[in-house]
Amino acid sequence: ASGSESLIESFQQEWLELIESPAALLLDQLQPHALRVLDTWRSQGIDLILATHRQQRPALLRQLGRLDLLSRFEHILPSDYRAGAQGKAASVSDALGSAASDVWAWIGDTPVDVLAAGHLHCRSWVVTCGVRDADVFLGLPYDLLATDLAALPPVSQAA
């Protein structure tokens, strides 16, 4: 070991505190048509689950409320970023129990999301409207790549 582990851990902790600060959270905005897409899926009987590496649940819930997203998800599942994709998938699996095998697709905007979908053996749909562009996902086993939620195919056509 190089001794840099504690520096990396310190940087990651400071970065998390920064991106979860009230000022940073105010910068988050909804994708165009995101509420319409989520509402369409819910009207089709699709249960929506939010799996996130956000660590401060009260701040997360306030943010989701501010963005009018809170009521659109059946489950909101934070997991420790240090557990990576396996931890993110485990949070979904633990919450759903035997129903975890029914997860149809994982839609995400990070490489961790793509890998978490693999742990659950479900489709991985990537949206590139966040801070990452398509190049970040090169070589990863995703099934579909789109610019945002509205660009995803209707679930009835993608089955």
Side-chain angles (χ1 to χ4, degrees):
S2 68
S4 63
E5 291 83 5
S6 65
L7 287 174
I8 293 169
E9 180 66 26
S10 176
F11 170 80
Q12 288 175 327
Q13 188 59 42
E14 288 179 31
W15 176 75
L16 273 177
E17 289 172 12
L18 174 67
I19 65 167
E20 292 193 38
S21 70
L25 293 177
L26 285 174
L27 299 175
D28 278 352
Q29 297 181 15
L30 286 178
Q31 301 170 18
H33 311 292
L35 297 179
R36 178 183 52 80
V37 172
L38 296 175
D39 289 343
T40 298
W41 289 339
R42 286 188 51 131
S43 73
Q44 294 172 337
I46 297 169
D47 290 338
L48 303 176
I49 300 164
L50 175 64
T52 180
H53 276 158
R54 294 280 169 95
Q55 302 298 291
Q56 299 174 21
R57 187 173 178 82
L60 170 64
L61 296 178
R62 279 192 304 276
Q63 180 186 33
L64 294 175
R66 178 180 64 81
L67 296 172
D68 197 23
L69 290 169
L70 195 57
S71 65
R72 289 176 163 85
F73 293 98
E74 307 307 314
H75 299 278
I76 298 167
L77 307 171
S79 63
D80 191 325
Y81 72 93
R82 291 170 288 217
Q86 189 169 4
K88 211 169 190 183
S91 72
V92 172
S93 184
D94 291 347
L96 298 183
S98 63
S101 63
D102 295 335
V103 172
W104 187 82
W106 188 296
I107 301 169
D109 63 353
T110 71
V112 168
D113 291 318
V114 173
L115 299 173
H119 287 291
L120 289 181
H121 309 291
C122 66
R123 291 167 183 83
S124 173
W125 287 4
V126 174
V127 290
T128 60
C129 55
V131 296
R132 295 163 189 86
D133 62 20
D135 292 344
V136 172
F137 300 95
L138 290 174
L140 291 175
Y142 62 84
D143 298 295
L144 185 85
L145 186 120
T147 55
D148 57 34
L149 289 176
L152 292 172
V155 172
S156 59
Q157 294 176 7

